[in-house]
Amino acid sequence: MSDDSSQPLISDGSKHQQEEKIPLRESLFRYLGLLFICLITFGSYYIYDIPGAFGANVLAPFYHTSTINYGILYSVYNFPNMIIVFFGGYFIDTLFGLRKGALIFCSLVMAGQIIFAISASTRLFWLAVIGRLIFGLGGESLSVAQSTFCASWFQGRPDINLAFAITLGFSRIGSAVNFKTTPAIADHANIPTAIWFGAITCGISFVSCIVLILLDVYRGKKDKKEAVTNDPVKLTDITKFSGSVWLVCLAVVLFYIPLFVFVTNGTDFIQAKWPQISPSAANTLVSIPYYTAAPSPVIGFIIDKVGRNLSWMTFASVLMAVAHILLTFSSLTPYVAMIIMGVGYACMAASIWVTFPVLVPNIRLGTAYGLAFACQNAAVALTTLIVDAILQKTDNNWYYVEGIFIGCALLGIMVHVILVLIDIKEKRINVPSADMKQKVKEINKESKPILDTSINQ
Ligand SMILES: NCCCC[C@H](N)C(=O)NCC(=O)O
């Protein structure tokens, strides 16, 4: 990617880099692009937890099926994504290119939700499963495309952390809003209408994707300096990823298990431990981390100024461990633990995804994000199964399940400590932001010939 024109640093290789002033028009253009980068996943984040917003006790009888079958609506999303999302990233880097890839994934998300909505209108559960499966074929890969767009548009700029944090904060608003609007629409109208509303949010994302592609064509022309040839990306490239990339993937897994798996099952846990809390308040409680992701841009802005992403990631895993320890062993109101978890999520979301452009060259970004999301989906899917099995076998003894979450969070802290030790030598992801940006430039120079994203679309 040759978007050096947007690089604000004068690269003299020394510590005393100065920041160039970025023209206002240039920034406005980047933030216009960011608005559409945010919007392309709004629909997919909104619809992901539509089954969760109803709950098994409402949706299973609606489809005349059992509450165990209800879980299939999630597993058909996560299980295939152990593999598919990795290939999604790989195809972005090779076959489709970023723009075509984003459009294909966005279409799959919308088609999946339309089929899910038709299934609600006809009350056919097998059709709902097919709809969720098709959504899964595009949903995660679309997030890979979004991260790659964000990295392409903001690479080398001093506000890249902010951009990533805005993207995630915005998407998570979609998740949180769903928990409120879906039951409300179902109450005022009916269940199919609430699911069709999800299809409308996907339509908005689809139109936004088309606008983003047009803007990206313009950006490609604007940023391009010279046509450069690219060495083809091979699947075996992942073997060339450094140890730090694999450790960051492990950190993703260990952080997102106690987040995603807890949020999916947390309502039952809250009600088991605090029976006085109503089902709707328990629903609100578990979605607190998604609400607190909204201010993550503020944290992203601060990280842009101070850098040291790894320290923020470590802090986030500590908060995750503290939150689960409080939920398990204290009788303190669960609001405290859920807010701590939310602050941890906001810090992690604003810091971890930005480390990839420093660790892998642009030509392999899609593959790297695909790898991280594939590991995350595999871990979430497997842990969900394990959690369900433990709860069934132990007659809902949440201590065992919480043991898994606390264990993951503590292991996550250890992984971060190892990363910190490695980074003392490598000085890549725990350094001031100006130094990180310098490293991004270096890694892309080293990996020549460099792919210009504007060519491979
Ligand atoms: N199903 C919701 C989309 C998840 C996308 C991706 N796997 C992810 O985890 N992104 C980061 C995040 O914090 O949502």
Side-chain angles (χ1 to χ4, degrees):
M1 179 188 313
S2 57
D3 68 349
D4 279 6
S5 56
S6 64
Q7 303 268 6
L9 299 174
I10 297 166
S11 168
D12 60 3
S14 77
K15 286 228 163 224
H16 307 287
Q17 297 145 351
Q18 294 168 14
E19 293 206 1
E20 276 174 15
K21 269 232 146 70
I22 299 171
L24 179 66
R25 264 186 66 158
E26 168 66 16
S27 286
L28 285 178
F29 176 63
R30 299 282 150 180
Y31 279 88
L32 178 68
L34 185 64
L35 172 68
F36 290 97
I37 292 174
C38 289
L39 281 168
I40 61 169
T41 55
F42 181 76
S44 60
Y45 273 77
Y46 180 92
I47 63 173
Y48 177 76
D49 265 319
I50 283 185
F54 287 121
N57 294 337
V58 174
L59 221 50
F62 174 79
Y63 277 114
H64 310 295
T65 190
S66 71
T67 48
I68 294 171
N69 278 348
Y70 156 90
I72 296 176
L73 295 175
Y74 280 101
S75 44
V76 289
Y77 179 97
N78 287 122
F79 267 112
N81 271 310
M82 288 182 186
I83 313 269
I84 286 167
V85 70
F86 175 71
F87 283 96
Y90 175 71
F91 285 146
I92 286 173
D93 285 344
T94 53
L95 202 63
F96 303 148
L98 183 54
R99 294 172 196 148
K100 213 187 288 165
L103 199 62
I104 291 171
F105 301 139
C106 227
S107 310
L108 285 169
V109 169
M110 192 169 66
Q113 183 61 19
I114 289 174
I115 292 172
F116 185 28
I118 294 173
S119 85
S121 299
T122 52
R123 291 205 171 194
L124 292 171
F125 186 67
W126 61 267
L127 198 57
V129 173
I130 291 178
R132 293 289 288 181
L133 179 74
I134 293 173
F135 162 41
L137 298 183
E140 289 290 302
S141 301
L142 184 61
S143 288
V144 175
Q146 181 185 51
S147 302
T148 315
F149 264 123
C150 200
S152 310
W153 276 66
F154 283 83
Q155 198 144 90
R157 285 179 54 100
D159 44 2
I160 184 167
N161 289 286
L162 174 65
F164 266 84
I166 290 177
T167 309
L168 268 175
F170 193 93
S171 306
R172 280 293 164 209
I173 298 274
S175 311
V177 165
N178 156 62
F179 276 99
K180 286 274 157 230
T181 50
T182 296
I185 297 174
D187 279 352
H188 281 92
N190 50 42
I191 290 178
T193 309
I195 300 180
W196 276 107
F197 185 77
I200 294 174
T201 64
C202 295
I204 294 170
S205 289
F206 184 76
V207 173
S208 304
C209 187
I210 294 172
V211 177
L212 176 62
I213 289 170
L214 296 176
L215 287 173
D216 198 56
V217 170
Y218 178 69
R219 181 193 69 88
K221 287 193 187 129
K222 209 163 78 69
D223 287 356
K224 199 162 101 183
K225 283 182 175 165
E226 57 187 49
V228 284
T229 49
N230 173 45
D231 51 345
V233 179
K234 294 183 287 298
L235 207 53
T236 47
D237 282 343
I238 58 164
T239 58
K240 295 183 197 140
F241 285 165
S242 68
S244 298
V245 175
W246 292 96
L247 282 171
V248 171
C249 288
L250 187 57
V252 166
V253 163
L254 293 171
F255 186 85
Y256 278 92
I257 287 176
L259 178 71
F260 283 174
V261 184
F262 178 76
V263 169
T264 314
N265 298 282
T267 314
D268 293 341
F269 166 73
I270 302 271
Q271 287 193 284
K273 184 160 178 186
W274 290 274
Q276 72 277 17
I277 293 181
S278 72
S280 117
N283 233 339
T284 309
L285 258 165
V286 292
S287 53
I288 282 180
Y290 293 162
Y291 281 108
T292 45
S296 72
V298 178
I299 299 170
F301 180 79
I302 300 169
I303 302 179
D304 276 329
K305 298 286 163 222
V306 299
R308 304 205 177 275
N309 289 46
L310 196 46
S311 305
W312 288 89
M313 288 155 59
T314 313
F315 177 59
S317 347
V318 171
L319 291 185
M320 179 58 80
V322 170
H324 276 290
I325 288 170
L326 284 178
L327 281 172
T328 313
F329 299 111
S330 92
S331 46
L332 198 69
T333 165
Y335 282 94
V336 175
M338 293 311 295
I339 289 170
I340 292 176
M341 192 186 292
V343 175
Y345 176 44
C347 291
M348 189 58 100
S351 55
I352 195 164
W353 302 107
V354 191
T355 58
F356 284 98
V358 192
L359 295 171
V360 296
N362 296 334
I363 51 165
R364 295 186 181 94
L365 262 185
T367 309
Y369 283 122
L371 176 69
F373 287 170
C375 295
Q376 181 202 43
N377 273 281
V380 167
L382 285 176
T383 314
T384 305
L385 280 190
I386 294 170
V387 163
D388 281 350
I390 291 177
L391 288 175
Q392 268 184 16
K393 279 226 150 69
T394 62
D395 197 16
N396 288 329
N397 188 332
W398 279 93
Y399 276 103
Y400 292 109
V401 174
E402 274 299 324
I404 295 180
F405 295 150
I406 293 171
C408 285
L410 294 178
L411 275 176
I413 297 174
M414 276 166 59
V415 168
H416 281 96
V417 172
I418 297 171
L419 273 167
V420 168
L421 294 176
I422 294 175
D423 208 67
I424 290 175
K425 194 160 155 248
E426 290 185 352
K427 295 198 171 18
R428 288 202 277 183
I429 48 178
N430 210 26
V431 291
S433 41
D435 292 0
M436 259 177 97
K437 271 148 211 149
Q438 181 59 27
K439 290 285 176 191
V440 173
K441 276 184 131 181
E442 280 166 17
I443 197 170
N444 284 304
K445 269 189 201 130
E446 280 162 18
S447 72
K448 278 191 171 170
I450 299 169
L451 170 75
D452 187 317
T453 46
S454 56
I455 297 169
N456 191 33
Q457 308 296 331

